[in-house]
Amino acid sequence: MNIRYVALRLVLAALLLWGIFCGIGHLLGKGATPLDQSVSNSITSNRTATWDGITHWVSLCSETLTVVVITAVAFVVLRLTLRRWREAVLLVLAVAGQTAIFVCITGVVDRGRPDVIRLDEAAPTSSLPSGHARAAV
């Protein structure tokens, strides 16, 4: 398969996803919806030290450094075990692609998080839903 054809398809798919998610973001508006706020209020009113600790560790699993390290390790494992580049490069492109799409959407759609007490500081690119959710998937 021609690499230019594959690259063009990936770029077009990324632009399509960007357009869809920007459209959804604009339809939802700038702030958190009443449903977002209600769910967040319900969760924060039922916080416990145990669940705060669990969410801390789960959040760490999808932080930028963690995603980069896991991707790098998986890249090396795929390359060495399969003795091919295709799968390893696909993994890197997928992770880089989701990051690029997220950053581009965040730059266009200014959708704030619900107004609740936060457990940690939000990054300058924070949004709702967060990039952590997409990275973890």
Side-chain angles (χ1 to χ4, degrees), residues 3-75:
I3 191 74
R4 287 185 181 155
Y5 176 71
V6 171
L8 177 64
R9 287 180 59 189
L10 286 173
V11 169
L12 290 175
L15 287 172
L16 178 64
L17 287 171
W18 176 82
I20 289 169
F21 288 120
C22 283
I24 291 170
H26 283 296
L27 286 173
L28 291 173
K30 288 203 173 261
T33 66
L35 178 61
D36 296 327
Q37 190 65 52
S38 174
V39 169
S40 295
N41 288 342
S42 176
I43 291 170
T44 57
S45 68
N46 292 304
R47 282 184 178 156
T48 65
T50 301
W51 280 111
D52 286 354
I54 291 169
T55 59
H56 171 74
W57 287 104
V58 171
S59 290
L60 284 177
C61 291
S62 53
E63 283 190 347
T64 303
L65 180 60
T66 307
V67 172
V68 168
V69 169
I70 290 172
T71 302
V73 169
F75 175 88

Side-chain angles (χ1 to χ4, degrees), residues 73-86:
V73 169
F75 175 88
V76 170
V77 168
L78 285 170
R79 176 65 181 108
L80 294 177
T81 57
L82 299 176
R83 300 187 192 278
R84 296 187 304 255
W85 287 99
R86 178 177 288 175

